[in-house]
Amino acid sequence: MSSAISAPSPARFPYAAMVVLATIAFTAITTELLPSGLLPQISTGLGVSEPVAGYLAAAYAAVIVVTVVPAARLLGKIPRHALLVGLVLTFALSNALVGLAPDFTSAMIARLVGGLAHGLLWTTMAPFVSRVVPADKVGKALAIVFSGNSLGLAIGAPVGTALGGFLGWRAAFLVLAGFGVVLTVLAFWLLPRVQRISDAARPSLRKAIGQPGVKSVAVAWPLLVLAHFALFTYIAPFIREANLPDYATSLSLTVLGGSGLLGIWIAGLTVDSRPRRSLLITTAAIAASMFLLPLAVGNLPVALVLMTIWGAGLGAIGIYNQSAILRAGGEYSEAANGLTVLTIQLGITIGALYGSAALVVGGPLLVPAAAAIPVVAAFVITLAGKRYAYPPGPRERIWLEPRPVTDKVKDPA
């Protein structure tokens, strides 16, 4: 579907547009995570139990899985600029309706609207970025945009939770809605407009899956996300069992979010030149940090160092894999990107279940080791995908090419 978009390479790198997109990503992540931090208040305010209130978060993810592919296909002919602006406004509307909801059913409907917008956003944004920046700067642009994810995790959700504690949970959603309205105006003015090509390939998930390398990325990337959520979901029981201080739980969340920004920055420097080697090193580092975490019992500094490696790796793998799926998808890159949005949401859901099973079977201290297993599987897939899924970059190919052989003429003297 991305082939249906054309834009001239800008003379200057569009920093303002990339910052707007990063802020949109920040808003999306904050919207997704906000109910988790306000469950007690939402439960009381809507007159439901906390487990039922938790469905506001679960349904958000579920609607993404169900609607992302058909919705992307249905709205494929809408200009990308108009679609992105409309999606930001939809986030604002969803949050406003949650903040004003008179009952749980109304809040659930509003969250389903937000989940629909969330899935469409991530199928649209990365291909849009690839069309409005020069080809050799796509990695840099994606790094800027994806920084919004880590900021949403490290800052957006905690600040929203704190705001809800001071002013009430409804106020937190209404403030986020107001922020979304302002962001809609900025997106309208600052995001570049792109034009469709009349003879562009029709979006097709089937043809996208048929592109060499797409299936490998669509499996390896979600495996990494699965591993992260298997451990992240049960980080509190692990910290308690590892005899670490109580404050280590909140500290670990901050470390993971902050180090994710570091990983994004590193990936931005390497994704356009050394994507394959960098992703292999990053994946191996994540696996090692998870395998070693159980050895950090009673040692908070060591645990934080390993969590920093884990968090930085998580931030980086998103950039490397996003670039890989756009490249592997070719003219069907937007449909391929939609496929990864779907499989990643499945990875998040299965990751929480997998972590729960590891917790029950092996106990909290073995959850990190269990999480490392799918990371190893992702490493193997990446290693095998050298030709199509994860090919070497321009700074890596030189090591693969044989050096020219020159005949030396010996001096007869």
Side-chain angles (χ1 to χ4, degrees), residues 45-47 97-107 169-170:
L46 296 179
L97 291 176
V98 172
L100 299 173
D103 51 43
F104 177 78
T105 301
S106 301
W169 68 271
R170 292 183 184 275

Side-chain angles (χ1 to χ4, degrees), residues 3-364:
S3 61
I5 306 169
S6 177
S9 296
R12 296 181 180 179
F13 186 85
Y15 282 103
M18 294 305 104
V19 171
V20 168
L21 289 174
T23 310
I24 294 173
F26 170 87
T27 303
I29 295 300
T30 303
T31 297
E32 182 177 21
L33 299 178
L34 189 56
S36 300
L38 298 173
L39 277 185
Q41 298 97 312
I42 294 174
S43 170
T44 302
L46 296 179
V48 296
S49 66
E50 287 190 16
V52 172
Y55 293 152
L56 293 176
Y60 189 97
V63 76
I64 296 173
V65 173
V66 174
T67 64
V68 61
V69 173
R73 186 178 180 85
L74 180 65
L75 301 177
K77 293 184 178 180
I78 296 179
R80 302 296 91 174
H81 176 274
L83 182 58
L84 284 170
V85 172
L87 290 175
V88 181
L89 186 59
T90 303
F91 278 118
L93 176 64
S94 171
N95 286 319
L97 291 176
V98 172
L100 299 173
D103 51 43
F104 177 78
T105 301
S106 301
M108 175 62 78
I109 293 173
R111 287 291 289 176
L112 293 177
V113 171
L116 174 62
H118 192 107
L120 278 170
L121 175 69
W122 292 112
T123 61
T124 305
M125 195 151 57
F128 179 82
V129 169
S130 71
R131 293 291 172 175
V132 299
V133 300
D136 61 341
K137 300 294 183 182
V138 171
K140 175 182 178 180
L142 290 174
I144 294 174
V145 172
F146 270 67
S147 66
N149 294 35
S150 291
L151 287 173
L153 175 63
I155 299 176
V159 169
T161 301
L163 184 63
F166 283 115
L167 301 178
W169 68 271
R170 292 183 184 275
F173 279 98
L174 291 175
V175 168
L176 189 57
F179 182 76
V181 172
V182 174
L183 185 57
T184 301
V185 176
L186 292 175
F188 179 82
W189 287 108
L190 296 178
L191 292 182
R193 288 162 173 78
V194 293
Q195 297 179 344
R196 295 182 58 83
I197 302 173
S198 58
D199 60 348
R202 188 168 183 263
S204 170
L205 182 61
R206 179 181 59 82
K207 291 183 178 179
I209 294 174
Q211 299 299 302
V214 165
K215 290 188 287 293
S216 295
V217 181
V219 172
W221 191 0
L223 281 173
L224 293 166
V225 175
L226 184 156
H228 167 71
F229 277 91
L231 180 51
F232 181 81
T233 304
Y234 299 99
I235 192 66
F238 167 78
I239 287 175
R240 183 177 62 248
E241 192 73 12
N243 295 321
L244 299 175
D246 292 338
Y247 64 82
T249 300
S250 57
L251 180 59
S252 65
L253 299 181
T254 302
V255 167
L256 287 171
S259 59
L261 292 175
L262 173 63
I264 288 172
W265 176 71
I266 294 173
L269 296 177
T270 57
V271 66
D272 292 321
S273 57
R274 301 178 179 87
R276 176 176 173 79
R277 188 183 310 164
S278 300
L279 178 57
L280 287 170
I281 292 172
T282 301
T283 306
I286 295 174
S289 66
M290 290 180 171
F291 273 125
L292 293 174
L293 258 179
L295 302 180
V297 174
N299 195 326
L300 181 59
V302 172
L304 292 179
V305 168
L306 293 174
M307 289 180 186
T308 299
I309 296 172
W310 163 24
L314 179 72
I317 60 102
I319 305 299
Y320 295 129
N321 280 284
Q322 183 67 79
S323 178
I325 196 65
L326 291 176
R327 180 177 55 246
E331 61 178 331
Y332 301 101
S333 62
E334 194 164 324
N337 195 60
L339 174 65
T340 60
V341 173
L342 170 62
T343 56
I344 285 172
Q345 289 299 321
L346 289 173
I348 292 173
T349 303
I350 296 172
L353 297 174
Y354 176 67
S356 175
L359 183 68
V360 172
V361 174

